[in-house]
Amino acid sequence: MSARKIIIDTDPGQDDAVAILLALASPEDLDLLGITCVAGNVPLPLTSKNARITCEAASRTDVPVYAGSKAPLARPLITAEHVHGQTGLDGPKLWEPQMPLAEGHGVDFIIATLRAQEPGTVTLCTLGPLTNIAAAFNTAPDIIERVQEIVMMGGAYFEVGNITPAAEFNIYADPEAAEIVFRSGAPITVMPLDVTHKVLATKPRVEAIRALNTRVGRFTAEMLDFFERFDMEKYGSEGGPLHDPCVIAWLLKPELFSGRHVNVEIETSSSLTVGMTVADWWGVTDRTPNALFIGDADADGFFTLLTERLARL
Protein backbone atom coordinates (compact mmCIF):
# COMPACT_ATOMS: atom_id res chain seq x y z
CA MET A 1 0.00 0.00 0.00
CA SER A 2 1.33 3.43 -0.87
CA ALA A 3 1.35 6.18 1.74
CA ARG A 4 -1.90 8.11 2.10
CA LYS A 5 -1.64 11.66 0.76
CA ILE A 6 -2.62 14.30 3.30
CA ILE A 7 -2.70 18.05 3.79
CA ILE A 8 -2.59 19.27 7.38
CA ASP A 9 -4.54 22.48 8.01
CA THR A 10 -3.56 23.80 11.40
CA ASP A 11 -3.21 26.60 13.98
CA PRO A 12 -0.30 25.45 16.20
CA GLY A 13 -0.88 25.15 19.31
CA GLN A 14 1.09 22.56 21.25
CA ASP A 15 -1.28 19.70 20.42
CA ASP A 16 -1.24 20.72 16.74
CA ALA A 17 2.56 20.52 16.83
CA VAL A 18 2.42 17.01 18.31
CA ALA A 19 0.00 15.99 15.53
CA ILE A 20 2.39 17.35 12.89
CA LEU A 21 5.28 15.46 14.49
CA LEU A 22 3.26 12.23 14.51
CA ALA A 23 2.56 12.63 10.79
CA LEU A 24 6.19 13.45 10.01
CA ALA A 25 7.26 10.34 11.94
CA SER A 26 5.07 8.10 9.77
CA PRO A 27 6.24 8.56 6.16
CA GLU A 28 5.48 4.97 5.20
CA ASP A 29 1.83 5.59 6.10
CA LEU A 30 1.34 9.29 5.36
CA ASP A 31 2.63 11.41 2.49
CA LEU A 32 2.40 14.95 3.88
CA LEU A 33 1.98 17.11 0.77
CA GLY A 34 1.97 20.37 2.69
CA ILE A 35 0.86 22.27 5.78
CA THR A 36 -1.58 25.15 5.56
CA CYS A 37 -1.91 27.50 8.50
CA VAL A 38 -4.94 29.37 9.77
CA ALA A 39 -5.50 31.90 12.52
CA GLY A 40 -6.95 30.21 15.58
CA ASN A 41 -5.12 29.35 18.77
CA VAL A 42 -2.94 32.38 18.04
CA PRO A 43 -2.90 34.83 15.10
CA LEU A 44 -1.70 33.71 11.67
CA PRO A 45 1.87 35.08 11.89
CA LEU A 46 2.42 32.86 14.93
CA THR A 47 0.64 29.75 13.63
CA SER A 48 2.66 29.88 10.41
CA LYS A 49 5.84 30.42 12.44
CA ASN A 50 5.03 27.57 14.82
CA ALA A 51 4.38 25.10 12.01
CA ARG A 52 7.86 25.81 10.64
CA ILE A 53 9.45 25.50 14.07
CA THR A 54 7.80 22.09 14.39
CA CYS A 55 9.09 20.95 10.99
CA GLU A 56 12.58 22.11 11.92
CA ALA A 57 12.41 20.25 15.23
CA ALA A 58 11.79 17.09 13.20
CA SER A 59 14.45 18.02 10.60
CA ARG A 60 11.77 18.00 7.90
CA THR A 61 12.21 21.34 6.18
CA ASP A 62 11.22 19.70 2.88
CA VAL A 63 7.51 20.00 3.77
CA PRO A 64 6.05 23.26 2.42
CA VAL A 65 4.26 25.44 4.95
CA TYR A 66 1.73 27.98 3.67
CA ALA A 67 0.07 30.90 5.39
CA GLY A 68 -3.68 30.86 4.91
CA SER A 69 -6.62 32.79 6.31
CA LYS A 70 -5.92 35.44 8.94
CA ALA A 71 -9.51 35.82 10.12
CA PRO A 72 -12.79 33.86 10.12
CA LEU A 73 -15.17 34.13 7.18
CA ALA A 74 -17.68 36.44 8.85
CA ARG A 75 -16.59 37.14 12.43
CA PRO A 76 -13.78 38.80 14.38
CA LEU A 77 -10.84 36.60 15.24
CA ILE A 78 -10.80 34.98 18.67
CA THR A 79 -7.67 33.28 19.97
CA ALA A 80 -6.68 31.02 22.86
CA GLU A 81 -3.47 32.35 24.39
CA HIS A 82 -4.99 31.56 27.79
CA VAL A 83 -4.52 27.89 26.90
CA HIS A 84 -1.45 27.88 24.65
CA GLY A 85 0.52 30.86 25.92
CA GLN A 86 1.50 34.01 24.05
CA THR A 87 3.56 32.15 21.45
CA GLY A 88 1.10 29.30 20.97
CA LEU A 89 3.96 26.89 21.71
CA ASP A 90 4.88 27.98 25.22
CA GLY A 91 6.95 25.39 27.08
CA PRO A 92 10.16 24.67 25.17
CA LYS A 93 12.72 27.33 24.30
CA LEU A 94 11.70 28.47 20.83
CA TRP A 95 13.78 29.82 17.97
CA GLU A 96 13.30 31.81 14.79
CA PRO A 97 12.68 29.27 12.03
CA GLN A 98 15.09 29.35 9.13
CA MET A 99 12.83 27.64 6.63
CA PRO A 100 10.76 30.17 4.68
CA LEU A 101 7.05 30.12 4.17
CA ALA A 102 6.09 28.63 0.83
CA GLU A 103 5.02 31.20 -1.73
CA GLY A 104 1.31 31.64 -2.23
CA HIS A 105 -1.82 31.40 -0.10
CA GLY A 106 -2.77 28.23 1.74
CA VAL A 107 -6.26 28.19 0.22
CA ASP A 108 -4.77 28.31 -3.28
CA PHE A 109 -2.45 25.44 -2.38
CA ILE A 110 -5.39 23.32 -1.21
CA ILE A 111 -7.29 24.00 -4.44
CA ALA A 112 -4.30 23.39 -6.72
CA THR A 113 -3.30 20.20 -4.92
CA LEU A 114 -6.77 18.66 -5.04
CA ARG A 115 -7.03 19.49 -8.74
CA ALA A 116 -3.58 18.09 -9.51
CA GLN A 117 -3.90 14.79 -7.63
CA GLU A 118 -6.10 11.90 -8.69
CA PRO A 119 -9.66 12.30 -7.38
CA GLY A 120 -10.23 10.64 -4.03
CA THR A 121 -6.56 10.43 -3.09
CA VAL A 122 -6.03 13.45 -0.78
CA THR A 123 -7.22 13.60 2.82
CA LEU A 124 -7.62 16.95 4.56
CA CYS A 125 -6.54 16.80 8.20
CA THR A 126 -7.96 19.84 9.98
CA LEU A 127 -6.64 20.75 13.41
CA GLY A 128 -8.04 24.27 13.79
CA PRO A 129 -10.89 26.48 12.62
CA LEU A 130 -12.21 25.39 9.22
CA THR A 131 -11.75 28.76 7.51
CA ASN A 132 -9.22 27.62 4.89
CA ILE A 133 -11.25 24.56 3.91
CA ALA A 134 -14.50 26.50 3.63
CA ALA A 135 -12.80 29.23 1.60
CA ALA A 136 -11.37 26.62 -0.76
CA PHE A 137 -14.77 24.94 -1.17
CA ASN A 138 -16.46 28.30 -1.79
CA THR A 139 -13.84 29.36 -4.33
CA ALA A 140 -13.56 26.03 -6.15
CA PRO A 141 -16.58 23.80 -5.49
CA ASP A 142 -15.25 21.33 -8.05
CA ILE A 143 -12.64 20.17 -5.55
CA ILE A 144 -15.18 18.89 -3.01
CA GLU A 145 -15.84 15.64 -4.85
CA ARG A 146 -12.07 15.13 -5.23
CA VAL A 147 -11.49 14.97 -1.44
CA GLN A 148 -10.89 11.46 -0.15
CA GLU A 149 -11.89 12.37 3.40
CA ILE A 150 -11.83 15.22 5.89
CA VAL A 151 -10.59 14.13 9.31
CA MET A 152 -11.05 16.95 11.79
CA MET A 153 -10.56 17.78 15.42
CA GLY A 154 -13.57 19.81 16.46
CA GLY A 155 -16.93 19.85 18.14
CA ALA A 156 -18.44 17.94 21.01
CA TYR A 157 -21.65 16.23 22.03
CA PHE A 158 -21.55 14.70 25.52
CA GLU A 159 -18.64 16.95 26.54
CA VAL A 160 -20.51 20.06 25.28
CA GLY A 161 -18.08 23.02 25.14
CA ASN A 162 -14.62 24.16 26.14
CA ILE A 163 -14.73 27.80 24.98
CA THR A 164 -18.42 28.41 25.79
CA PRO A 165 -20.85 26.18 27.70
CA ALA A 166 -22.05 24.79 24.36
CA ALA A 167 -19.19 25.06 21.85
CA GLU A 168 -15.74 23.64 21.21
CA PHE A 169 -13.09 26.20 20.20
CA ASN A 170 -12.33 25.15 16.60
CA ILE A 171 -15.99 25.24 15.60
CA TYR A 172 -16.83 28.33 17.67
CA ALA A 173 -13.96 30.29 16.12
CA ASP A 174 -15.58 30.07 12.67
CA PRO A 175 -19.01 28.44 12.78
CA GLU A 176 -19.94 29.66 9.28
CA ALA A 177 -16.91 27.84 7.89
CA ALA A 178 -17.84 24.69 9.82
CA GLU A 179 -21.37 24.85 8.45
CA ILE A 180 -20.03 25.00 4.88
CA VAL A 181 -17.79 21.99 5.47
CA PHE A 182 -20.42 19.84 7.15
CA ARG A 183 -22.92 20.59 4.40
CA SER A 184 -20.41 20.01 1.59
CA GLY A 185 -21.11 16.32 1.11
CA ALA A 186 -17.44 15.39 1.54
CA PRO A 187 -16.76 12.33 3.72
CA ILE A 188 -16.05 13.57 7.25
CA THR A 189 -14.62 11.93 10.37
CA VAL A 190 -14.83 14.04 13.53
CA MET A 191 -12.60 13.83 16.60
CA PRO A 192 -14.70 15.77 19.15
CA LEU A 193 -13.98 16.54 22.78
CA ASP A 194 -15.91 13.36 23.58
CA VAL A 195 -12.93 11.32 22.46
CA THR A 196 -10.03 13.73 22.99
CA HIS A 197 -10.94 14.16 26.66
CA LYS A 198 -10.25 10.43 27.04
CA VAL A 199 -6.72 10.74 25.65
CA LEU A 200 -4.95 12.34 28.60
CA ALA A 201 -1.27 13.29 28.70
CA THR A 202 -0.73 11.98 32.22
CA LYS A 203 2.64 12.40 33.92
CA PRO A 204 3.81 8.81 33.20
CA ARG A 205 2.88 9.19 29.51
CA VAL A 206 4.72 12.51 29.22
CA GLU A 207 7.74 11.10 31.04
CA ALA A 208 7.87 8.17 28.58
CA ILE A 209 8.15 10.69 25.75
CA ARG A 210 10.80 12.71 27.62
CA ALA A 211 12.73 9.49 28.23
CA LEU A 212 13.27 9.12 24.48
CA ASN A 213 16.06 11.63 25.19
CA THR A 214 15.91 13.05 21.68
CA ARG A 215 15.37 16.59 20.49
CA VAL A 216 11.81 15.78 19.48
CA GLY A 217 11.15 13.86 22.69
CA ARG A 218 12.28 16.76 24.87
CA PHE A 219 10.51 19.33 22.68
CA THR A 220 7.24 17.39 22.91
CA ALA A 221 7.47 16.76 26.65
CA GLU A 222 8.23 20.43 27.34
CA MET A 223 5.23 21.50 25.25
CA LEU A 224 2.99 19.10 27.14
CA ASP A 225 4.34 20.24 30.50
CA PHE A 226 2.94 23.69 29.73
CA PHE A 227 -0.15 22.71 27.75
CA GLU A 228 -1.63 20.29 30.24
CA ARG A 229 -1.62 22.70 33.18
CA PHE A 230 -4.69 24.60 31.94
CA ASP A 231 -6.95 21.60 31.39
CA MET A 232 -5.78 19.78 34.52
CA GLU A 233 -6.82 22.78 36.59
CA LYS A 234 -10.05 23.22 34.62
CA TYR A 235 -11.21 19.60 34.64
CA GLY A 236 -9.39 18.21 37.67
CA SER A 237 -8.01 15.43 35.47
CA GLU A 238 -4.72 13.56 35.75
CA GLY A 239 -3.47 15.07 32.51
CA GLY A 240 -4.47 17.42 29.73
CA PRO A 241 -6.40 16.11 26.70
CA LEU A 242 -4.22 15.64 23.64
CA HIS A 243 -6.76 16.73 21.03
CA ASP A 244 -5.24 17.14 17.58
CA PRO A 245 -2.97 14.07 17.41
CA CYS A 246 -6.16 11.98 17.45
CA VAL A 247 -6.67 13.04 13.82
CA ILE A 248 -3.35 11.56 12.75
CA ALA A 249 -3.68 8.50 15.00
CA TRP A 250 -7.03 7.72 13.33
CA LEU A 251 -5.29 7.54 9.95
CA LEU A 252 -2.52 5.35 11.35
CA LYS A 253 -4.56 2.97 13.55
CA PRO A 254 -8.32 3.46 13.18
CA GLU A 255 -8.89 0.38 15.30
CA LEU A 256 -7.97 2.50 18.33
CA PHE A 257 -11.22 4.45 17.92
CA SER A 258 -14.97 3.86 17.71
CA GLY A 259 -17.92 6.07 16.86
CA ARG A 260 -21.18 6.41 14.93
CA HIS A 261 -22.29 7.76 11.57
CA VAL A 262 -24.63 10.58 12.56
CA ASN A 263 -25.97 13.87 11.31
CA VAL A 264 -24.05 16.92 12.54
CA GLU A 265 -25.40 20.44 12.12
CA ILE A 266 -23.66 23.66 13.18
CA GLU A 267 -25.43 26.38 15.15
CA THR A 268 -24.56 29.79 13.69
CA SER A 269 -27.18 32.17 15.07
CA SER A 270 -28.09 31.51 18.70
CA SER A 271 -26.35 33.79 21.18
CA LEU A 272 -26.31 30.98 23.73
CA THR A 273 -25.16 28.08 21.56
CA VAL A 274 -23.36 29.52 18.54
CA GLY A 275 -20.66 27.09 17.39
CA MET A 276 -22.41 24.07 18.87
CA THR A 277 -22.12 20.80 16.96
CA VAL A 278 -25.65 19.44 17.11
CA ALA A 279 -24.90 15.73 16.72
CA ASP A 280 -27.88 13.40 16.34
CA TRP A 281 -26.12 10.68 18.35
CA TRP A 282 -29.34 8.88 19.23
CA GLY A 283 -30.92 9.12 15.78
CA VAL A 284 -33.94 11.09 16.93
CA THR A 285 -34.31 13.03 13.65
CA ASP A 286 -34.65 11.98 10.05
CA ARG A 287 -31.64 14.05 9.01
CA THR A 288 -29.17 12.16 6.83
CA PRO A 289 -25.90 11.18 8.55
CA ASN A 290 -23.04 13.31 7.25
CA ALA A 291 -20.13 12.41 9.54
CA LEU A 292 -18.48 9.61 11.47
CA PHE A 293 -18.52 11.09 14.98
CA ILE A 294 -15.89 9.39 17.16
CA GLY A 295 -16.84 8.76 20.77
CA ASP A 296 -14.20 6.50 22.31
CA ALA A 297 -10.51 5.64 22.09
CA ASP A 298 -7.94 3.22 23.47
CA ALA A 299 -5.82 5.81 25.28
CA ASP A 300 -3.00 3.42 26.18
CA GLY A 301 -2.80 2.25 22.58
CA PHE A 302 -2.80 5.85 21.40
CA PHE A 303 0.15 6.83 23.61
CA THR A 304 2.05 3.67 22.71
CA LEU A 305 1.67 4.59 19.04
CA LEU A 306 2.63 8.22 19.64
CA THR A 307 5.72 7.39 21.69
CA GLU A 308 6.92 4.71 19.27
CA ARG A 309 6.54 7.03 16.28
CA LEU A 310 8.15 10.05 17.96
CA ALA A 311 11.15 7.84 18.75
CA ARG A 312 11.84 7.70 15.01
CA LEU A 313 12.48 11.43 14.73
Side-chain angles (χ1 to χ4, degrees):
M1 292 279 293
S2 58
R4 183 169 181 160
K5 297 174 183 178
I6 67 170
I7 295 171
I8 291 180
D9 188 72
T10 181
D11 61 337
Q14 291 91 346
D15 56 326
D16 303 70
V18 178
I20 293 168
L21 292 171
L22 180 56
L24 293 174
S26 307
E28 74 282 15
D29 297 300
L30 302 175
D31 179 8
L32 180 52
L33 303 178
I35 297 171
T36 55
C37 299
V38 65
N41 287 322
V42 287
L44 182 65
L46 286 174
T47 63
S48 55
K49 176 182 178 179
N50 292 345
R52 288 177 289 148
I53 288 174
T54 303
C55 289
E56 288 187 355
S59 300
R60 287 294 307 276
T61 57
D62 57 301
V63 177
V65 176
Y66 294 83
S69 302
K70 63 182 180 180
L73 295 182
R75 296 173 186 263
L77 175 66
I78 64 163
T79 53
E81 288 89 350
H82 63 290
V83 178
H84 298 274
Q86 292 303 305
T87 68
L89 288 186
D90 280 20
K93 184 177 181 181
L94 301 179
W95 60 92
E96 285 296 320
Q98 298 303 301
M99 67 179 290
L101 279 170
E103 293 186 6
H105 196 282
V107 171
D108 295 329
F109 170 74
I110 292 169
I111 293 169
T113 302
L114 284 167
R115 285 175 172 168
Q117 298 291 333
E118 288 294 315
T121 62
V122 177
T123 294
L124 303 177
C125 301
T126 70
L127 313 180
L130 291 162
T131 314
N132 285 337
I133 309 305
F137 285 2
N138 277 347
T139 302
D142 60 286
I143 68 173
I144 296 173
E145 64 182 13
R146 303 179 72 89
V147 174
Q148 180 177 1
E149 184 180 8
I150 299 169
V151 185
M152 71 171 69
M153 190 279 130
Y157 179 67
F158 294 99
E159 288 288 315
V160 291
N162 64 354
I163 188 67
T164 74
E168 178 275 331
F169 177 82
N170 286 344
I171 306 299
Y172 180 78
D174 197 342
E176 285 78 16
E179 182 178 50
I180 289 167
V181 172
F182 274 94
R183 292 186 175 180
S184 69
I188 297 174
T189 297
V190 185
M191 296 290 164
L193 299 182
D194 305 287
V195 66
T196 67
H197 280 184
K198 297 174 181 175
V199 180
L200 301 179
T202 61
K203 184 173 178 60
R205 290 166 175 166
V206 174
E207 290 308 312
I209 293 171
R210 198 188 321 273
L212 296 174
N213 201 28
T214 61
R215 183 187 188 190
V216 165
R218 290 187 293 272
F219 181 72
T220 301
E222 289 167 4
M223 285 193 294
L224 296 181
D225 287 342
F226 179 88
F227 178 59
E228 66 181 5
R229 101 249 172 260
F230 176 82
D231 284 324
M232 287 176 69
E233 181 178 342
K234 178 178 179 180
Y235 297 112
S237 58
E238 295 181 358
L242 201 50
H243 308 283
D244 293 326
C246 289
V247 168
I248 305 303
W250 162 261
L251 297 177
L252 298 175
K253 293 194 75 172
E255 62 270 22
L256 294 175
F257 300 89
S258 61
R260 295 183 185 180
H261 284 278
V262 301
N263 179 270
V264 180
E265 301 289 338
I266 308 299
E267 179 58 62
T268 60
S269 59
S270 166
S271 60
L272 282 177
T273 59
V274 64
M276 183 177 183
T277 45
V278 184
D280 187 10
W281 185 260
W282 302 113
V284 296
T285 76
D286 59 1
R287 294 194 289 265
T288 302
N290 61 352
L292 175 59
F293 205 78
I294 301 300
D296 205 359
D298 174 356
D300 288 336
F302 169 91
F303 277 96
T304 296
L305 172 68
L306 176 64
T307 306
E308 288 176 349
R309 294 298 170 100
L310 292 180
R312 301 175 174 186
L313 295 174

